[in-house]
Amino acid sequence: MDRLKNYQNQLKGLNPQEILTWAVGTFGDKVALASSFGVEDQLLTHFASKIPNFRIFTLDTGRLFQETYDSMQRSMASYNITYEIYAPDNKELEEMIATKGPNLFYDSLENRKLCCKIRKINPLQRVLSGLDAWVTGLRAGQSATRAEVEPIEWDETNQIYKVNPLFACSEEELWKKVKEEKVVYNRLHDQGFPSIGCAPCTRAVAEGEDIRSGRWWWEAPEHKECGLHNRPVK
């Protein structure tokens, strides 16, 4: 895709804040940052708050940690921003819980993917249907499924561009910047949670463990995606 290659060339050598500025200059109000209130998204929110009218959305699955909601509240106050909130469809959610129970995700991979679809994928598709590009906190060092992350990619599933300003940022570099910039971050990170998702499907990890090992810990590593960022393992 010639346009994608052109965009990738334009982003060479730019830092994360410059990439965000480029994204707004290129896509206008048709680009938005997706935040799940992990440290990557919080750093990007910190930068985005300095850009007028930068859109930020979040998926409220209904099963998030209280600390995650606290992060949202503190971010709204500290950065003087509002979030676009997308929640699951009531009828889909009610039917799923009534037929399979509230903790269906522990029973099978199929059930877990169904839960992710209703609580995350379907709401995401609603917001992305009105965008030309979305911004994520994906980093190449996060997991095997993300090793080939580029600064901008074509999201085949959603048929829009995906911008990843932190694609080359290491864990050490990330936290160094967070401390320097005094970024508001989720307090779960201080409790051993390097990756944060829904409360029933996320746990703290031991020092030295893979940073995604606390997500869906009962599943094989190649399955540790909810479907928001499906990528082939190379």
Side-chain angles (χ1 to χ4, degrees), residues 171-208:
E171 186 81 359
E172 182 179 3
E173 292 168 336
L174 175 69
W175 279 102
K176 183 174 183 292
K177 198 66 176 175
V178 166
K179 299 298 184 183
E180 289 175 350
E181 297 278 343
K182 296 181 171 56
V183 172
V184 174
Y185 67 87
N186 195 320
R187 294 193 174 104
L188 286 172
H189 290 305
D190 295 329
Q191 301 172 35
F193 289 79
S195 180
I196 299 168
C198 290
C201 300
T202 312
R203 69 176 182 181
V205 303
E207 186 174 352

PDB file of all heavy atoms in Angstrom, residues 171-208:
ATOM      1  N   GLU A 171      10.461  -1.019  28.116  1.00  0.00           N
ATOM      2  CA  GLU A 171       9.820  -0.858  29.424  1.00  0.00           C
ATOM      3  C   GLU A 171      10.566   0.171  30.272  1.00  0.00           C
ATOM      4  O   GLU A 171       9.954   1.023  30.924  1.00  0.00           O
ATOM      5  CB  GLU A 171       9.797  -2.216  30.135  1.00  0.00           C
ATOM      6  CG  GLU A 171       9.045  -2.241  31.443  1.00  0.00           C
ATOM      7  CD  GLU A 171       7.538  -2.379  31.271  1.00  0.00           C
ATOM      8  OE1 GLU A 171       7.069  -2.446  30.122  1.00  0.00           O
ATOM      9  OE2 GLU A 171       6.847  -2.414  32.301  1.00  0.00           O
ATOM     10  N   GLU A 172      11.876   0.105  30.236  1.00  0.00           N
ATOM     11  CA  GLU A 172      12.689   1.046  31.015  1.00  0.00           C
ATOM     12  C   GLU A 172      12.502   2.482  30.519  1.00  0.00           C
ATOM     13  O   GLU A 172      12.335   3.416  31.318  1.00  0.00           O
ATOM     14  CB  GLU A 172      14.167   0.649  30.927  1.00  0.00           C
ATOM     15  CG  GLU A 172      15.084   1.532  31.752  1.00  0.00           C
ATOM     16  CD  GLU A 172      16.546   1.114  31.663  1.00  0.00           C
ATOM     17  OE1 GLU A 172      16.852   0.162  30.912  1.00  0.00           O
ATOM     18  OE2 GLU A 172      17.380   1.742  32.342  1.00  0.00           O
ATOM     19  N   GLU A 173      12.531   2.662  29.207  1.00  0.00           N
ATOM     20  CA  GLU A 173      12.344   3.993  28.630  1.00  0.00           C
ATOM     21  C   GLU A 173      10.957   4.540  28.939  1.00  0.00           C
ATOM     22  O   GLU A 173      10.788   5.739  29.217  1.00  0.00           O
ATOM     23  CB  GLU A 173      12.552   3.942  27.111  1.00  0.00           C
ATOM     24  CG  GLU A 173      13.984   3.659  26.698  1.00  0.00           C
ATOM     25  CD  GLU A 173      14.104   3.332  25.212  1.00  0.00           C
ATOM     26  OE1 GLU A 173      13.098   2.879  24.612  1.00  0.00           O
ATOM     27  OE2 GLU A 173      15.207   3.515  24.666  1.00  0.00           O
ATOM     28  N   LEU A 174       9.970   3.665  28.893  1.00  0.00           N
ATOM     29  CA  LEU A 174       8.600   4.061  29.164  1.00  0.00           C
ATOM     30  C   LEU A 174       8.466   4.642  30.571  1.00  0.00           C
ATOM     31  O   LEU A 174       7.949   5.750  30.759  1.00  0.00           O
ATOM     32  CB  LEU A 174       7.691   2.843  29.006  1.00  0.00           C
ATOM     33  CG  LEU A 174       6.212   3.022  29.355  1.00  0.00           C
ATOM     34  CD1 LEU A 174       5.529   3.919  28.343  1.00  0.00           C
ATOM     35  CD2 LEU A 174       5.522   1.663  29.423  1.00  0.00           C
ATOM     36  N   TRP A 175       8.949   3.901  31.559  1.00  0.00           N
ATOM     37  CA  TRP A 175       8.796   4.352  32.941  1.00  0.00           C
ATOM     38  C   TRP A 175       9.672   5.561  33.257  1.00  0.00           C
ATOM     39  O   TRP A 175       9.302   6.403  34.089  1.00  0.00           O
ATOM     40  CB  TRP A 175       9.084   3.206  33.901  1.00  0.00           C
ATOM     41  CG  TRP A 175       7.897   2.319  34.049  1.00  0.00           C
ATOM     42  CD1 TRP A 175       7.687   1.098  33.470  1.00  0.00           C
ATOM     43  CD2 TRP A 175       6.718   2.607  34.792  1.00  0.00           C
ATOM     44  NE1 TRP A 175       6.453   0.610  33.812  1.00  0.00           N
ATOM     45  CE2 TRP A 175       5.836   1.508  34.629  1.00  0.00           C
ATOM     46  CE3 TRP A 175       6.317   3.678  35.594  1.00  0.00           C
ATOM     47  CZ2 TRP A 175       4.584   1.468  35.236  1.00  0.00           C
ATOM     48  CZ3 TRP A 175       5.071   3.640  36.190  1.00  0.00           C
ATOM     49  CH2 TRP A 175       4.220   2.555  36.011  1.00  0.00           C
ATOM     50  N   LYS A 176      10.804   5.659  32.603  1.00  0.00           N
ATOM     51  CA  LYS A 176      11.659   6.842  32.781  1.00  0.00           C
ATOM     52  C   LYS A 176      10.901   8.101  32.357  1.00  0.00           C
ATOM     53  O   LYS A 176      10.912   9.123  33.044  1.00  0.00           O
ATOM     54  CB  LYS A 176      12.942   6.686  31.969  1.00  0.00           C
ATOM     55  CG  LYS A 176      13.941   7.830  32.122  1.00  0.00           C
ATOM     56  CD  LYS A 176      15.238   7.497  31.388  1.00  0.00           C
ATOM     57  CE  LYS A 176      16.294   8.578  31.584  1.00  0.00           C
ATOM     58  NZ  LYS A 176      15.925   9.841  30.915  1.00  0.00           N
ATOM     59  N   LYS A 177      10.202   8.004  31.216  1.00  0.00           N
ATOM     60  CA  LYS A 177       9.440   9.146  30.699  1.00  0.00           C
ATOM     61  C   LYS A 177       8.250   9.450  31.603  1.00  0.00           C
ATOM     62  O   LYS A 177       7.932  10.618  31.856  1.00  0.00           O
ATOM     63  CB  LYS A 177       8.948   8.836  29.278  1.00  0.00           C
ATOM     64  CG  LYS A 177       8.528  10.067  28.501  1.00  0.00           C
ATOM     65  CD  LYS A 177       9.711  10.978  28.232  1.00  0.00           C
ATOM     66  CE  LYS A 177       9.326  12.161  27.369  1.00  0.00           C
ATOM     67  NZ  LYS A 177      10.439  13.117  27.200  1.00  0.00           N
ATOM     68  N   VAL A 178       7.602   8.404  32.108  1.00  0.00           N
ATOM     69  CA  VAL A 178       6.455   8.592  33.004  1.00  0.00           C
ATOM     70  C   VAL A 178       6.876   9.352  34.262  1.00  0.00           C
ATOM     71  O   VAL A 178       6.172  10.272  34.717  1.00  0.00           O
ATOM     72  CB  VAL A 178       5.832   7.233  33.373  1.00  0.00           C
ATOM     73  CG1 VAL A 178       4.872   7.357  34.552  1.00  0.00           C
ATOM     74  CG2 VAL A 178       5.102   6.652  32.164  1.00  0.00           C
ATOM     75  N   LYS A 179       8.015   8.988  34.815  1.00  0.00           N
ATOM     76  CA  LYS A 179       8.506   9.663  36.022  1.00  0.00           C
ATOM     77  C   LYS A 179       8.923  11.100  35.713  1.00  0.00           C
ATOM     78  O   LYS A 179       8.615  12.022  36.486  1.00  0.00           O
ATOM     79  CB  LYS A 179       9.691   8.891  36.607  1.00  0.00           C
ATOM     80  CG  LYS A 179       9.367   7.457  37.030  1.00  0.00           C
ATOM     81  CD  LYS A 179       8.326   7.408  38.135  1.00  0.00           C
ATOM     82  CE  LYS A 179       8.108   5.974  38.608  1.00  0.00           C
ATOM     83  NZ  LYS A 179       7.045   5.885  39.645  1.00  0.00           N
ATOM     84  N   GLU A 180       9.619  11.287  34.593  1.00  0.00           N
ATOM     85  CA  GLU A 180      10.060  12.636  34.219  1.00  0.00           C
ATOM     86  C   GLU A 180       8.882  13.582  34.001  1.00  0.00           C
ATOM     87  O   GLU A 180       8.911  14.745  34.414  1.00  0.00           O
ATOM     88  CB  GLU A 180      10.903  12.582  32.940  1.00  0.00           C
ATOM     89  CG  GLU A 180      12.271  11.968  33.116  1.00  0.00           C
ATOM     90  CD  GLU A 180      13.011  11.830  31.792  1.00  0.00           C
ATOM     91  OE1 GLU A 180      12.387  12.045  30.723  1.00  0.00           O
ATOM     92  OE2 GLU A 180      14.209  11.505  31.819  1.00  0.00           O
ATOM     93  N   GLU A 181       7.845  13.083  33.357  1.00  0.00           N
ATOM     94  CA  GLU A 181       6.689  13.909  33.000  1.00  0.00           C
ATOM     95  C   GLU A 181       5.626  13.961  34.107  1.00  0.00           C
ATOM     96  O   GLU A 181       4.617  14.649  33.968  1.00  0.00           O
ATOM     97  CB  GLU A 181       6.046  13.372  31.713  1.00  0.00           C
ATOM     98  CG  GLU A 181       6.940  13.418  30.485  1.00  0.00           C
ATOM     99  CD  GLU A 181       6.962  14.787  29.832  1.00  0.00           C
ATOM    100  OE1 GLU A 181       6.066  15.601  30.122  1.00  0.00           O
ATOM    101  OE2 GLU A 181       7.878  15.034  29.026  1.00  0.00           O
ATOM    102  N   LYS A 182       5.879  13.194  35.198  1.00  0.00           N
ATOM    103  CA  LYS A 182       4.911  13.125  36.304  1.00  0.00           C
ATOM    104  C   LYS A 182       3.514  12.732  35.798  1.00  0.00           C
ATOM    105  O   LYS A 182       2.498  13.365  36.104  1.00  0.00           O
ATOM    106  CB  LYS A 182       4.859  14.448  37.066  1.00  0.00           C
ATOM    107  CG  LYS A 182       6.165  14.795  37.769  1.00  0.00           C
ATOM    108  CD  LYS A 182       6.042  16.100  38.539  1.00  0.00           C
ATOM    109  CE  LYS A 182       7.268  16.337  39.430  1.00  0.00           C
ATOM    110  NZ  LYS A 182       8.545  16.313  38.715  1.00  0.00           N
ATOM    111  N   VAL A 183       3.505  11.676  35.015  1.00  0.00           N
ATOM    112  CA  VAL A 183       2.269  11.195  34.404  1.00  0.00           C
ATOM    113  C   VAL A 183       1.373  10.532  35.448  1.00  0.00           C
ATOM    114  O   VAL A 183       1.853   9.785  36.314  1.00  0.00           O
ATOM    115  CB  VAL A 183       2.596  10.177  33.281  1.00  0.00           C
ATOM    116  CG1 VAL A 183       1.326   9.510  32.743  1.00  0.00           C
ATOM    117  CG2 VAL A 183       3.350  10.866  32.159  1.00  0.00           C
ATOM    118  N   VAL A 184       0.074  10.801  35.382  1.00  0.00           N
ATOM    119  CA  VAL A 184      -0.902  10.107  36.214  1.00  0.00           C
ATOM    120  C   VAL A 184      -0.975   8.659  35.723  1.00  0.00           C
ATOM    121  O   VAL A 184      -1.255   8.419  34.555  1.00  0.00           O
ATOM    122  CB  VAL A 184      -2.295  10.760  36.088  1.00  0.00           C
ATOM    123  CG1 VAL A 184      -3.337   9.937  36.834  1.00  0.00           C
ATOM    124  CG2 VAL A 184      -2.263  12.187  36.595  1.00  0.00           C
ATOM    125  N   TYR A 185      -0.703   7.681  36.601  1.00  0.00           N
ATOM    126  CA  TYR A 185      -0.755   6.298  36.137  1.00  0.00           C
ATOM    127  C   TYR A 185      -1.570   5.432  37.087  1.00  0.00           C
ATOM    128  O   TYR A 185      -1.841   5.797  38.231  1.00  0.00           O
ATOM    129  CB  TYR A 185       0.655   5.726  35.943  1.00  0.00           C
ATOM    130  CG  TYR A 185       1.476   5.532  37.199  1.00  0.00           C
ATOM    131  CD1 TYR A 185       1.376   4.351  37.940  1.00  0.00           C
ATOM    132  CD2 TYR A 185       2.372   6.509  37.631  1.00  0.00           C
ATOM    133  CE1 TYR A 185       2.137   4.160  39.073  1.00  0.00           C
ATOM    134  CE2 TYR A 185       3.133   6.333  38.780  1.00  0.00           C
ATOM    135  CZ  TYR A 185       3.012   5.150  39.494  1.00  0.00           C
ATOM    136  OH  TYR A 185       3.757   4.963  40.635  1.00  0.00           O
ATOM    137  N   ASN A 186      -1.986   4.294  36.582  1.00  0.00           N
ATOM    138  CA  ASN A 186      -2.828   3.362  37.312  1.00  0.00           C
ATOM    139  C   ASN A 186      -2.035   2.754  38.476  1.00  0.00           C
ATOM    140  O   ASN A 186      -0.966   2.175  38.280  1.00  0.00           O
ATOM    141  CB  ASN A 186      -3.297   2.256  36.354  1.00  0.00           C
ATOM    142  CG  ASN A 186      -4.445   1.448  36.899  1.00  0.00           C
ATOM    143  OD1 ASN A 186      -4.482   1.129  38.078  1.00  0.00           O
ATOM    144  ND2 ASN A 186      -5.375   1.095  36.023  1.00  0.00           N
ATOM    145  N   ARG A 187      -2.577   2.849  39.689  1.00  0.00           N
ATOM    146  CA  ARG A 187      -1.859   2.373  40.872  1.00  0.00           C
ATOM    147  C   ARG A 187      -1.695   0.857  40.908  1.00  0.00           C
ATOM    148  O   ARG A 187      -0.935   0.329  41.725  1.00  0.00           O
ATOM    149  CB  ARG A 187      -2.562   2.881  42.135  1.00  0.00           C
ATOM    150  CG  ARG A 187      -2.481   4.412  42.273  1.00  0.00           C
ATOM    151  CD  ARG A 187      -2.897   4.879  43.657  1.00  0.00           C
ATOM    152  NE  ARG A 187      -2.673   6.314  43.799  1.00  0.00           N
ATOM    153  CZ  ARG A 187      -3.632   7.233  43.765  1.00  0.00           C
ATOM    154  NH1 ARG A 187      -4.889   6.862  43.567  1.00  0.00           N
ATOM    155  NH2 ARG A 187      -3.349   8.515  43.919  1.00  0.00           N
ATOM    156  N   LEU A 188      -2.399   0.142  40.039  1.00  0.00           N
ATOM    157  CA  LEU A 188      -2.184  -1.304  39.950  1.00  0.00           C
ATOM    158  C   LEU A 188      -0.756  -1.632  39.524  1.00  0.00           C
ATOM    159  O   LEU A 188      -0.238  -2.707  39.860  1.00  0.00           O
ATOM    160  CB  LEU A 188      -3.174  -1.925  38.959  1.00  0.00           C
ATOM    161  CG  LEU A 188      -4.623  -2.062  39.430  1.00  0.00           C
ATOM    162  CD1 LEU A 188      -5.508  -2.511  38.278  1.00  0.00           C
ATOM    163  CD2 LEU A 188      -4.727  -3.037  40.593  1.00  0.00           C
ATOM    164  N   HIS A 189      -0.125  -0.712  38.799  1.00  0.00           N
ATOM    165  CA  HIS A 189       1.261  -0.953  38.375  1.00  0.00           C
ATOM    166  C   HIS A 189       2.188  -1.070  39.582  1.00  0.00           C
ATOM    167  O   HIS A 189       3.208  -1.755  39.526  1.00  0.00           O
ATOM    168  CB  HIS A 189       1.741   0.160  37.446  1.00  0.00           C
ATOM    169  CG  HIS A 189       1.097   0.155  36.102  1.00  0.00           C
ATOM    170  ND1 HIS A 189       1.103  -0.945  35.273  1.00  0.00           N
ATOM    171  CD2 HIS A 189       0.417   1.120  35.427  1.00  0.00           C
ATOM    172  CE1 HIS A 189       0.457  -0.658  34.145  1.00  0.00           C
ATOM    173  NE2 HIS A 189       0.034   0.581  34.223  1.00  0.00           N
ATOM    174  N   ASP A 190       1.844  -0.404  40.679  1.00  0.00           N
ATOM    175  CA  ASP A 190       2.665  -0.488  41.892  1.00  0.00           C
ATOM    176  C   ASP A 190       2.385  -1.758  42.684  1.00  0.00           C
ATOM    177  O   ASP A 190       3.052  -2.037  43.676  1.00  0.00           O
ATOM    178  CB  ASP A 190       2.401   0.727  42.789  1.00  0.00           C
ATOM    179  CG  ASP A 190       2.833   2.038  42.150  1.00  0.00           C
ATOM    180  OD1 ASP A 190       3.805   2.012  41.371  1.00  0.00           O
ATOM    181  OD2 ASP A 190       2.205   3.076  42.434  1.00  0.00           O
ATOM    182  N   GLN A 191       1.383  -2.514  42.242  1.00  0.00           N
ATOM    183  CA  GLN A 191       0.995  -3.743  42.934  1.00  0.00           C
ATOM    184  C   GLN A 191       1.357  -4.995  42.131  1.00  0.00           C
ATOM    185  O   GLN A 191       0.819  -6.075  42.375  1.00  0.00           O
ATOM    186  CB  GLN A 191      -0.516  -3.718  43.211  1.00  0.00           C
ATOM    187  CG  GLN A 191      -0.975  -2.549  44.051  1.00  0.00           C
ATOM    188  CD  GLN A 191      -2.485  -2.458  44.144  1.00  0.00           C
ATOM    189  OE1 GLN A 191      -3.196  -3.473  44.174  1.00  0.00           O
ATOM    190  NE2 GLN A 191      -3.011  -1.248  44.182  1.00  0.00           N
ATOM    191  N   GLY A 192       2.240  -4.827  41.119  1.00  0.00           N
ATOM    192  CA  GLY A 192       2.701  -5.982  40.356  1.00  0.00           C
ATOM    193  C   GLY A 192       1.903  -6.288  39.114  1.00  0.00           C
ATOM    194  O   GLY A 192       1.975  -7.399  38.587  1.00  0.00           O
ATOM    195  N   PHE A 193       1.137  -5.297  38.617  1.00  0.00           N
ATOM    196  CA  PHE A 193       0.351  -5.488  37.396  1.00  0.00           C
ATOM    197  C   PHE A 193       0.996  -4.694  36.249  1.00  0.00           C
ATOM    198  O   PHE A 193       0.690  -3.516  36.075  1.00  0.00           O
ATOM    199  CB  PHE A 193      -1.085  -4.982  37.588  1.00  0.00           C
ATOM    200  CG  PHE A 193      -1.936  -5.824  38.488  1.00  0.00           C
ATOM    201  CD1 PHE A 193      -1.804  -5.728  39.866  1.00  0.00           C
ATOM    202  CD2 PHE A 193      -2.875  -6.692  37.965  1.00  0.00           C
ATOM    203  CE1 PHE A 193      -2.600  -6.489  40.712  1.00  0.00           C
ATOM    204  CE2 PHE A 193      -3.677  -7.461  38.802  1.00  0.00           C
ATOM    205  CZ  PHE A 193      -3.537  -7.357  40.172  1.00  0.00           C
ATOM    206  N   PRO A 194       1.859  -5.308  35.436  1.00  0.00           N
ATOM    207  CA  PRO A 194       2.437  -4.577  34.304  1.00  0.00           C
ATOM    208  C   PRO A 194       1.448  -4.376  33.166  1.00  0.00           C
ATOM    209  O   PRO A 194       1.559  -3.441  32.380  1.00  0.00           O
ATOM    210  CB  PRO A 194       3.608  -5.459  33.869  1.00  0.00           C
ATOM    211  CG  PRO A 194       3.210  -6.836  34.306  1.00  0.00           C
ATOM    212  CD  PRO A 194       2.433  -6.654  35.559  1.00  0.00           C
ATOM    213  N   SER A 195       0.486  -5.279  33.040  1.00  0.00           N
ATOM    214  CA  SER A 195      -0.535  -5.203  31.996  1.00  0.00           C
ATOM    215  C   SER A 195      -1.897  -5.266  32.673  1.00  0.00           C
ATOM    216  O   SER A 195      -2.118  -6.111  33.550  1.00  0.00           O
ATOM    217  CB  SER A 195      -0.374  -6.363  31.006  1.00  0.00           C
ATOM    218  OG  SER A 195      -1.359  -6.309  29.998  1.00  0.00           O
ATOM    219  N   ILE A 196      -2.808  -4.369  32.280  1.00  0.00           N
ATOM    220  CA  ILE A 196      -4.065  -4.233  33.006  1.00  0.00           C
ATOM    221  C   ILE A 196      -5.253  -4.389  32.076  1.00  0.00           C
ATOM    222  O   ILE A 196      -5.338  -3.742  31.030  1.00  0.00           O
ATOM    223  CB  ILE A 196      -4.137  -2.857  33.701  1.00  0.00           C
ATOM    224  CG1 ILE A 196      -2.993  -2.722  34.713  1.00  0.00           C
ATOM    225  CG2 ILE A 196      -5.488  -2.670  34.396  1.00  0.00           C
ATOM    226  CD1 ILE A 196      -2.803  -1.316  35.238  1.00  0.00           C
ATOM    227  N   GLY A 197      -6.161  -5.282  32.464  1.00  0.00           N
ATOM    228  CA  GLY A 197      -7.374  -5.474  31.690  1.00  0.00           C
ATOM    229  C   GLY A 197      -8.558  -5.606  32.627  1.00  0.00           C
ATOM    230  O   GLY A 197      -8.639  -4.902  33.636  1.00  0.00           O
ATOM    231  N   CYS A 198      -9.476  -6.506  32.338  1.00  0.00           N
ATOM    232  CA  CYS A 198     -10.613  -6.745  33.219  1.00  0.00           C
ATOM    233  C   CYS A 198     -10.135  -7.465  34.485  1.00  0.00           C
ATOM    234  O   CYS A 198      -9.224  -8.291  34.441  1.00  0.00           O
ATOM    235  CB  CYS A 198     -11.664  -7.591  32.507  1.00  0.00           C
ATOM    236  SG  CYS A 198     -12.522  -6.719  31.165  1.00  0.00           S
ATOM    237  N   ALA A 199     -10.787  -7.175  35.603  1.00  0.00           N
ATOM    238  CA  ALA A 199     -10.351  -7.722  36.887  1.00  0.00           C
ATOM    239  C   ALA A 199     -10.327  -9.256  36.941  1.00  0.00           C
ATOM    240  O   ALA A 199      -9.365  -9.836  37.449  1.00  0.00           O
ATOM    241  CB  ALA A 199     -11.229  -7.160  37.999  1.00  0.00           C
ATOM    242  N   PRO A 200     -11.344  -9.967  36.433  1.00  0.00           N
ATOM    243  CA  PRO A 200     -11.319 -11.433  36.549  1.00  0.00           C
ATOM    244  C   PRO A 200     -10.244 -12.091  35.688  1.00  0.00           C
ATOM    245  O   PRO A 200      -9.895 -13.252  35.928  1.00  0.00           O
ATOM    246  CB  PRO A 200     -12.711 -11.858  36.060  1.00  0.00           C
ATOM    247  CG  PRO A 200     -13.541 -10.632  36.099  1.00  0.00           C
ATOM    248  CD  PRO A 200     -12.604  -9.508  35.821  1.00  0.00           C
ATOM    249  N   CYS A 201      -9.737 -11.378  34.712  1.00  0.00           N
ATOM    250  CA  CYS A 201      -8.817 -11.970  33.733  1.00  0.00           C
ATOM    251  C   CYS A 201      -7.403 -11.401  33.830  1.00  0.00           C
ATOM    252  O   CYS A 201      -6.587 -11.617  32.935  1.00  0.00           O
ATOM    253  CB  CYS A 201      -9.350 -11.767  32.321  1.00  0.00           C
ATOM    254  SG  CYS A 201     -10.966 -12.523  32.048  1.00  0.00           S
ATOM    255  N   THR A 202      -7.112 -10.692  34.906  1.00  0.00           N
ATOM    256  CA  THR A 202      -5.797 -10.073  35.076  1.00  0.00           C
ATOM    257  C   THR A 202      -5.315 -10.302  36.496  1.00  0.00           C
ATOM    258  O   THR A 202      -6.071 -10.134  37.447  1.00  0.00           O
ATOM    259  CB  THR A 202      -5.861  -8.550  34.813  1.00  0.00           C
ATOM    260  OG1 THR A 202      -6.564  -8.300  33.609  1.00  0.00           O
ATOM    261  CG2 THR A 202      -4.464  -7.959  34.705  1.00  0.00           C
ATOM    262  N   ARG A 203      -4.053 -10.683  36.644  1.00  0.00           N
ATOM    263  CA  ARG A 203      -3.482 -10.852  37.972  1.00  0.00           C
ATOM    264  C   ARG A 203      -2.078 -10.264  38.003  1.00  0.00           C
ATOM    265  O   ARG A 203      -1.466 -10.005  36.953  1.00  0.00           O
ATOM    266  CB  ARG A 203      -3.441 -12.324  38.358  1.00  0.00           C
ATOM    267  CG  ARG A 203      -2.460 -13.155  37.563  1.00  0.00           C
ATOM    268  CD  ARG A 203      -2.393 -14.592  38.068  1.00  0.00           C
ATOM    269  NE  ARG A 203      -1.409 -15.378  37.319  1.00  0.00           N
ATOM    270  CZ  ARG A 203      -1.168 -16.662  37.549  1.00  0.00           C
ATOM    271  NH1 ARG A 203      -1.835 -17.294  38.499  1.00  0.00           N
ATOM    272  NH2 ARG A 203      -0.265 -17.316  36.831  1.00  0.00           N
ATOM    273  N   ALA A 204      -1.563 -10.067  39.195  1.00  0.00           N
ATOM    274  CA  ALA A 204      -0.195  -9.581  39.344  1.00  0.00           C
ATOM    275  C   ALA A 204       0.780 -10.663  38.893  1.00  0.00           C
ATOM    276  O   ALA A 204       0.465 -11.857  38.915  1.00  0.00           O
ATOM    277  CB  ALA A 204       0.058  -9.205  40.799  1.00  0.00           C
ATOM    278  N   VAL A 205       1.978 -10.250  38.483  1.00  0.00           N
ATOM    279  CA  VAL A 205       3.005 -11.207  38.058  1.00  0.00           C
ATOM    280  C   VAL A 205       4.255 -11.025  38.916  1.00  0.00           C
ATOM    281  O   VAL A 205       4.477  -9.974  39.508  1.00  0.00           O
ATOM    282  CB  VAL A 205       3.366 -11.023  36.564  1.00  0.00           C
ATOM    283  CG1 VAL A 205       2.127 -11.162  35.695  1.00  0.00           C
ATOM    284  CG2 VAL A 205       4.028  -9.677  36.308  1.00  0.00           C
ATOM    285  N   ALA A 206       5.048 -12.067  38.967  1.00  0.00           N
ATOM    286  CA  ALA A 206       6.293 -12.022  39.733  1.00  0.00           C
ATOM    287  C   ALA A 206       7.367 -11.293  38.939  1.00  0.00           C
ATOM    288  O   ALA A 206       7.325 -11.224  37.710  1.00  0.00           O
ATOM    289  CB  ALA A 206       6.743 -13.440  40.066  1.00  0.00           C
ATOM    290  N   GLU A 207       8.336 -10.738  39.643  1.00  0.00           N
ATOM    291  CA  GLU A 207       9.434 -10.043  38.982  1.00  0.00           C
ATOM    292  C   GLU A 207      10.164 -10.992  38.033  1.00  0.00           C
ATOM    293  O   GLU A 207      10.472 -12.129  38.390  1.00  0.00           O
ATOM    294  CB  GLU A 207      10.414  -9.504  40.024  1.00  0.00           C
ATOM    295  CG  GLU A 207      11.511  -8.639  39.438  1.00  0.00           C
ATOM    296  CD  GLU A 207      12.382  -8.007  40.495  1.00  0.00           C
ATOM    297  OE1 GLU A 207      12.049  -8.118  41.692  1.00  0.00           O
ATOM    298  OE2 GLU A 207      13.407  -7.399  40.124  1.00  0.00           O
ATOM    299  N   GLY A 208      10.391 -10.542  36.814  1.00  0.00           N
ATOM    300  CA  GLY A 208      11.075 -11.350  35.816  1.00  0.00           C
ATOM    301  C   GLY A 208      10.151 -12.107  34.896  1.00  0.00           C
ATOM    302  O   GLY A 208      10.580 -12.610  33.858  1.00  0.00           O
TER     303      GLY A 208
END
